[in-house]
Amino acid sequence: MIGGSALPPDLLEEAVRSGITVFGGYGMSETGPIVSVARVQRGEGAQTAARAGLPIPLVEVRTDPPGRGELLLRAPWLTAGYGVQNSSDQLWEGGWLHTQDIAEIDADGGVRIVDRIKDVIKTGGEWVSSIEIEALLVEHPGVAEAAVVGEPCAKWGERPVGFVVQTSDGPAFTADELRNFVASHVTEGRISRYAVPDRILFQEALPRTSVGKIDKKLLRQSL
């Protein structure tokens, strides 16, 4: 089991090539722990297997606003609060547990995590998912790991900046070549033109929190 963020489809496909059966799921400490699991039918691809998946029995999900918004949950076993009244009231505002994750719900009821509210990049009047850009970056054969954060911009509000760790045995490439690689997906409709990072910064390693998640707060502070 792995965790900490949305499962990149490219990582899933690499695992499958190695003979590992992989599927996504979703949960938090507050949900004790799991609320959805990806169930994949024969012929369905990595995009379906990598999503947060279908709610398990007794779990209700919706987004606010509908379409693409914060993921809200209900289930009998979710935590009642944090021990601090203010935080507990915010957690359960309106009678739904607020996850602080931005999500979309597919036609079959399956959940796709788009980003954390604090990590989504607001640029040019659009919301850009850092997770989607990271997934594209790691598709490059020379990229081992990637993280994307928003950098303040007087004109656009924020602009995406990519941090990448290169593979030890992959092809050499420049920051501009990697930006062009991401930009090539704009014409395919996978991302908007606003999502192409303004800068790519190379790192020896990405900073981690105590639980192993990429520390985007430190990355933002480094800009």
Side-chain angles (χ1 to χ4, degrees), residues 4-223:
S5 63
L7 173 61
D10 189 64
L11 178 60
L12 183 147
E13 289 175 339
E14 184 178 341
V16 170
R17 288 193 296 270
S18 300
I20 304 170
T21 300
V22 183
F23 52 88
Y26 178 80
M28 312 159 58
S29 300
E30 292 86 345
T31 66
I34 195 165
V35 292
S36 66
V37 177
R39 297 199 287 273
V40 187
Q41 304 297 322
R42 187 179 299 276
E44 292 181 325
Q47 293 292 335
T48 299
R51 64 182 181 169
L54 295 163
I56 65 174
L58 304 183
V59 173
E60 297 177 75
V61 301
R62 69 179 180 91
T63 62
D64 183 26
R68 175 181 279 202
E70 183 181 9
L71 181 64
L72 307 182
L73 304 173
R74 278 179 179 162
W77 59 85
L78 305 185
T79 186
Y82 292 123
V84 179
Q85 192 60 48
N86 245 6
S87 298
S88 299
D89 290 345
Q90 292 171 9
L91 179 70
W92 279 99
E93 184 180 354
W96 291 77
L97 186 144
H98 289 246
T99 65
Q100 300 291 305
D101 282 318
I102 303 295
E104 296 175 344
I105 299 178
D106 292 339
D108 66 351
V111 177
R112 294 181 185 274
I113 301 300
V114 175
D115 215 341
R116 292 289 288 170
I117 287 178
K118 65 182 179 181
D119 293 333
V120 71
I121 300 164
K122 304 171 185 69
T123 181
E126 290 195 12
W127 279 17
V128 169
S129 165
S130 65
I131 291 174
E132 289 177 355
I133 311 172
E134 289 161 2
L136 287 177
L137 288 169
V138 297
E139 285 184 13
H140 190 283
V143 175
E145 285 188 296
V148 174
V149 301
E151 180 176 36
C153 173
K155 183 176 181 179
W156 300 109
E158 288 184 310
R159 291 296 302 141
V161 175
F163 294 82
V164 300
V165 177
Q166 295 174 280
T167 58
S168 58
D169 55 356
F173 60 92
T174 66
D176 283 342
E177 287 170 340
L178 188 54
R179 287 185 69 255
N180 291 337
F181 175 80
V182 174
S184 69
H185 295 283
V186 173
T187 54
E188 300 171 11
R190 291 187 64 183
I191 58 169
S192 75
R193 60 189 178 90
Y194 296 108
V196 179
D198 279 3
R199 296 195 288 157
I200 300 288
L201 304 176
F202 295 101
Q203 305 283 298
E204 290 295 321
L206 297 177
R208 302 276 177 178
T209 66
S210 59
V211 294
K213 295 183 181 182
I214 294 173
D215 194 332
K216 291 192 173 182
K217 182 179 179 181
L218 278 183
L219 291 177
R220 281 190 285 266
Q221 291 173 351
S222 72
L223 295 174

